[in-house]
Every structure is written in C-alpha cells, then in structure tokens.
Amino acid sequence: PGSSYTNPMSKSNQVIVPDFLLDNLDGELNLSLNQKNVPDLQLNGTYLDLMKSYAVNKSKASRDQKEALSFMKQKLDSAKWFIDAIRQRQHTLMLTMSEIIKFQHDFFLDGDETKLRPMILKDIADRTGLDISTISRVSNSKYIQTHFGIYPLKYFFSEGMQTDTGEE
C-alpha cells in the first residue's frame, strides 16, 4: 500500500506547481505569474565594464584582447537574446491567461462550473492575435491557482457541448 509514496513516477505523488496565481480581492481579479522558482536574469556588469574599457582602447588592444572582446560581445548578445525571449514568453503567457480570464470571468469570480462558457483555442487566438498553435502550447501542462482550487488551463477549453438530448 505504501509503494506509491516511494515510487517517484507515481502520479499520486506528484506536486503541481501552478504557473499562474489568481487572487480575488473584493471582486477584482488580479493575475500574476508564479515567479517563486525563477531567478532574476540580468547581464553581469563586470563583463559590460570590461567590454567598454576594451572598446575605448581598441586601437591599442592586442590581437588576444580583440578576440576576447569579440567573444564577450557574442556571448553578451546571446544573453540579451535569451533574456528577451524569456520576457516575450512571460508576455505571451500573461496575455493568453488574461484573455481566458476575461472570457470565463463569471467562473473565476466564484468557481461555479455552471458559469463556464464554451471556449475553444480559436476564441483565445482571435482575442490575442496569436496563432492557435501558440495558444495550445501555452495552455498545455500549465496550471492556475485560484481561491477555489488549482486547475489545468486545458480545463477551460471544450471540444464540444452536449444538449439535454445528448446531441453535440
């Protein structure tokens, strides 16, 4: 009976860390990204200062110093690109989740499942201006923590609805 606690692959033993946090403050919904395990990314000032000093004395620099300057510039450009990509990802995540919350606003106020509206990926793609595949990637394996529980984003999308007679 206790094997599920010792097996790391056991589904019952996995902890869900929500990607989004939604707070309801007197009827006002405040969305934020869960940044608890995300380090603050920034460029190291020492390398920036070193590059500036090399750039000022570029004419007097040796061949090794010029190669070092080129190497540092390449690495700093890569780091800037990476930081920008992370910021773009965060923006896309927030934009998508904000539109889901607007679409399903009544549900997010109190968690009443009867207030969920039929919603497909295309609805959010149209509202955000993003591609359907981007919305799919954003909503796949992501979770939101609300004041009434933690939900996978896929929960808010429906493939179809059934009528009382059982028709789709």
Side-chain angles (χ1 to χ4, degrees), residues 49-147:
D49 293 341
L50 191 57
M51 273 191 60
K52 287 177 187 174
S53 69
Y54 275 164
V56 169
N57 300 321
K58 195 173 185 178
S59 61
K60 299 176 187 175
S62 69
R63 182 172 177 248
D64 288 343
Q65 288 175 329
K66 287 180 183 177
E67 286 177 10
L69 178 65
S70 175
F71 178 80
M72 279 191 297
K73 182 173 178 358
Q74 177 188 2
K75 296 304 176 188
L76 285 172
D77 288 345
S78 293
K80 286 178 187 176
W81 177 87
F82 182 74
I83 290 170
D84 289 343
I86 295 293
R87 287 191 183 131
Q88 178 63 37
R89 177 185 183 272
Q90 291 172 337
H91 173 74
T92 301
L93 289 170
M94 286 296 288
L95 177 64
T96 302
M97 192 64 228
S98 295
E99 289 303 321
I100 292 171
I101 289 171
K102 287 178 189 174
F103 199 96
Q104 303 289 5
H105 187 265
D106 292 341
F107 169 78
F108 283 109
L109 286 175
D110 59 14
D112 183 357
E113 291 182 4
T114 62
K115 295 180 181 177
L116 275 175
R117 297 172 47 199
M119 181 177 74
I120 59 174
L121 295 172
K122 185 172 180 358
D123 293 330
I124 301 302
D126 290 343
R127 294 177 84 145
T128 60
L130 299 171
D131 193 74
I132 292 174
S133 64
T134 302
I135 303 302
S136 177
R137 282 193 309 274
V138 166
S139 61
N140 192 26
S141 300
K142 305 276 188 315
Y143 294 85
I144 182 167
Q145 178 179 314
T146 67
H147 58 284

Side-chain angles (χ1 to χ4, degrees), residues 34-57:
N34 186 357
Q35 300 286 350
K36 290 181 182 170
N37 297 325
V38 179
D40 184 32
L41 298 177
Q42 57 189 5
L43 298 175
N44 189 322
T46 305
Y47 290 108
L48 293 172
D49 293 341
L50 191 57
M51 273 191 60
K52 287 177 187 174
S53 69
Y54 275 164
V56 169
N57 300 321

